[in-house]
Amino acid sequence: MNQFDFNKVTDRHNTNSIKTDLAIPRGKPEDVLPLWVADMDFPTAPCILEALHKKVDHGIFGYSCIDQNYFEAVKNWMHTEHNFEIEQSWIVTTPGVVFAIACAIKAFTKENEAVIIQTPVYYPFKNMIDLNNRKCVTSSLIEKDGKYQIDFDDFENKIEQNNVRLFILCSPHNPVGRVWTVSELTRLAEICEKHNVIIFADEIHNDFILPGHTHTVFSTISEYAAQNSVVSTSASKTFNLAGLQFSTNFIQNPVLKRKFHIERDKTGYDEPSLMGLVAAQAAYQNGKSWLTALKKHLQENLDFLRSWLKTNLPKVRLIEPEGTFLLWLDFSSYGFDNKTLDDIIVHQAKVWLDRGTMFGFEGENFQRINIATPRPLLQEALERIRNALETV
Ligand SMILES: Cc1ncc(COP(=O)(O)O)c(C=O)c1O
């Protein structure tokens, strides 16, 4: 029996959760079932709660800093989980991975210079590029028989044509669920080396890898990758701590690190969030058994969804994921336009998913569903969608 109960439903309404409490402000029905943003509907690991309670009982929440204990915890985690040997001097903390992306854009590119991303992709990549007045260049991933592939020629041509300076890699990839292989990462690194492109590797989903696949830390790919990348990670996705705003970036090249640090400092951010730090340390030290149980639940949710679709909604195509707890669903065989599909899902089914086109034009007719939820909620969402589709 699972020691942790991931099927228990916890009401998140009126808890300052954007997943539930932004429904009305964002024009969704009051009773919408939200499976959109990538946080989880489970309380975090008991070992993390215990560490946070201890800090609360201490009662002093002054300015904080990372110390040797945190370093040892993250070092061990990266070693045992990702075969990645880190040094303390590589660490730069930020209040999140998206914050780190913004720092990297400002540190490694000038206004109007080009940054490349592989669409469809997590939408804040483009937002950060646009908001910082850089040129967003996209190279579309190509779907072949249910698996997304990199068009390396297109990727390189776009870099050459636009004099791209920075590549934001999503590894594993949200939303298409790819876990990039060593040979794919090697080819990307070689192209970047040829054109002097710096790489920001967003590896926030690194702990969610499905059996048969292996996550490779980008900076371990080659000497160029090691010396020309930022590897950005966080315990926030893995242990459901996004609201605590703490992430850890690894930058091996001291020149890059200094540039990144300056941009971080210019924002006025300095010390890490105390609770974010305490939680991440406890997660890395003692969270493994909870994570193992969580991954079992996620695998069961995936298996459930796959067979449920096959029986009840065979026209909806699941892109088989290799990692992450986000699934990419193709509704194109219904022939709806995007607005109609959205309307059916949000207003008739009353399920809040992420519309595919938020990730790029390639997401037309797709929806992204977050399966990090108790099974009864997942089942209810699927039933609501089926019922709505049956009536149109
Ligand atoms: C690929 C990816 N990067 C970054 C984030 C958010 O990171 P943070 O909350 O640390 O800014 C997410 C959240 O969904 C994500 O999917």
Side-chain angles (χ1 to χ4, degrees):
M1 192 187 122
N2 204 333
Q3 182 192 352
F4 309 101
D5 185 2
F6 294 102
N7 279 323
K8 181 168 173 271
V9 176
T10 305
D11 185 8
R12 298 186 64 185
H13 290 93
N14 303 313
T15 61
N16 302 98
S17 148
I18 70 167
K19 203 175 197 172
T20 48
D21 297 343
L22 286 188
I24 293 171
R26 297 238 176 129
K28 317 293 176 199
E30 192 176 0
D31 50 351
V32 78
L33 204 164
L35 297 178
W36 62 289
V37 69
D39 68 18
M40 305 196 267
D41 296 326
F42 322 114
T44 191
C47 64
I48 297 175
L49 291 174
E50 200 184 308
L52 290 170
H53 280 302
K54 209 166 146 200
K55 192 53 84 180
V56 169
D57 289 342
H58 184 241
I60 300 176
F61 308 108
Y63 294 115
S64 52
C65 58
I66 59 169
D67 60 6
Q68 193 62 25
N69 293 329
Y70 179 69
F71 170 63
E72 291 299 335
V74 72
K75 179 180 150 87
N76 286 339
W77 187 268
M78 290 301 152
H79 167 75
T80 53
E81 299 300 311
H82 301 297
N83 203 16
F84 181 37
E85 310 306 327
I86 62 158
E87 291 180 17
Q88 194 157 2
S89 63
W90 300 352
I91 293 180
V92 186
T93 65
T94 48
V97 169
V98 174
F99 188 101
I101 291 173
C103 293
I105 290 170
K106 286 186 275 192
F108 308 131
T109 65
K110 299 195 192 76
E111 285 215 358
N112 302 318
E113 281 187 337
V115 181
I116 193 163
I117 57 176
Q118 295 171 303
T119 43
V121 76
Y122 179 57
Y123 36 86
F125 286 14
K126 177 170 164 40
N127 289 349
M128 288 304 108
I129 297 167
D130 291 347
L131 287 168
N132 285 293
N133 301 320
R134 270 58 171 178
K135 181 175 170 191
C136 183
V137 175
T138 61
S139 177
S140 299
L141 297 171
I142 309 295
E143 193 230 303
K144 249 197 221 142
D145 304 327
K147 181 166 171 166
Y148 281 82
Q149 321 269 3
I150 299 168
D151 181 344
F152 290 101
D153 290 336
D154 179 71
F155 182 76
E156 181 161 13
N157 288 339
K158 295 270 174 64
I159 286 179
E160 260 182 321
Q161 284 158 10
N162 298 283
N163 192 23
V164 163
R165 309 299 343 129
L166 177 69
F167 165 37
I168 307 177
L169 167 70
C170 196
S171 176
H173 191 94
N174 166 12
V176 307
R178 279 298 316 278
V179 173
W180 304 116
T181 61
V182 169
S183 89
E184 287 170 316
L185 293 172
T186 301
R187 228 168 135 192
L188 288 172
E190 282 167 359
I191 295 170
C192 288
E193 178 168 7
K194 191 166 153 201
H195 300 282
N196 282 316
V197 174
I198 292 173
I199 303 94
F200 182 97
D202 176 340
E203 302 193 3
I204 197 166
H205 292 279
N206 58 3
D207 292 312
F208 297 108
I209 307 298
L210 285 155
H213 303 278
T214 308
H215 171 72
T216 305
V217 176
F218 184 76
S219 61
T220 64
I221 283 293
S222 66
E223 188 51 24
Y224 180 84
Q227 291 305 317
N228 292 278
S229 67
V230 175
V231 171
S232 192
T233 65
S234 179
S236 65
K237 208 78 7 195
T238 313
F239 293 93
N240 208 21
L241 305 169
L244 298 186
Q245 304 265 288
F246 179 76
S247 69
T248 306
N249 308 281
F250 304 103
I251 313 177
Q252 299 186 36
N253 181 330
V255 178
L256 258 60
K257 185 183 165 196
R258 194 176 142 62
K259 287 186 177 170
F260 183 92
H261 222 291
I262 289 170
E263 290 308 325
R264 190 197 79 162
D265 292 350
K266 276 169 79 177
T267 66
Y269 168 85
D270 190 1
E271 298 86 10
S273 140
L274 176 61
M275 290 318 210
L277 169 58
V278 165
Q281 185 171 314
Y284 291 143
Q285 281 170 341
N286 300 312
K288 182 64 201 253
S289 59
W290 182 87
L291 178 60
T292 304
L294 166 68
K295 284 164 78 169
K296 181 169 177 287
H297 174 79
L298 295 174
Q299 174 77 60
E300 287 165 3
N301 268 3
L302 169 62
D303 295 342
F304 168 79
L305 178 137
R306 185 191 300 108
S307 78
W308 198 95
L309 287 183
K310 206 169 158 206
T311 315
N312 299 284
L313 277 177
K315 284 169 78 180
V316 178
R317 191 170 61 111
L318 165 70
I319 299 295
E320 264 312 317
E322 299 173 347
T324 84
F325 51 77
L326 308 162
L327 303 183
W328 194 229
L329 301 179
D330 178 9
F331 289 78
S332 55
S333 66
Y334 285 93
F336 300 129
D337 60 50
N338 267 320
K339 193 180 164 321
T340 308
L341 176 62
D342 234 35
D343 200 58
I344 291 168
I345 293 198
V346 176
H347 295 285
Q348 296 186 42
K350 298 191 180 176
V351 178
W352 187 359
L353 306 180
D354 267 341
R355 185 177 65 244
T357 48
M358 291 169 76
F359 302 86
F361 72 87
E362 303 86 347
E364 177 120 22
N365 292 313
F366 282 81
Q367 297 271 330
R368 190 193 75 175
I369 185 167
N370 175 348
I371 59 164
T373 197
R375 184 90 27 83
L377 294 187
L378 180 60
Q379 182 163 352
E380 184 178 339
L382 294 172
E383 282 168 1
R384 286 187 187 195
I385 293 170
R386 177 196 52 197
N387 295 345
L389 285 169
E390 272 174 359
T391 58
V392 288

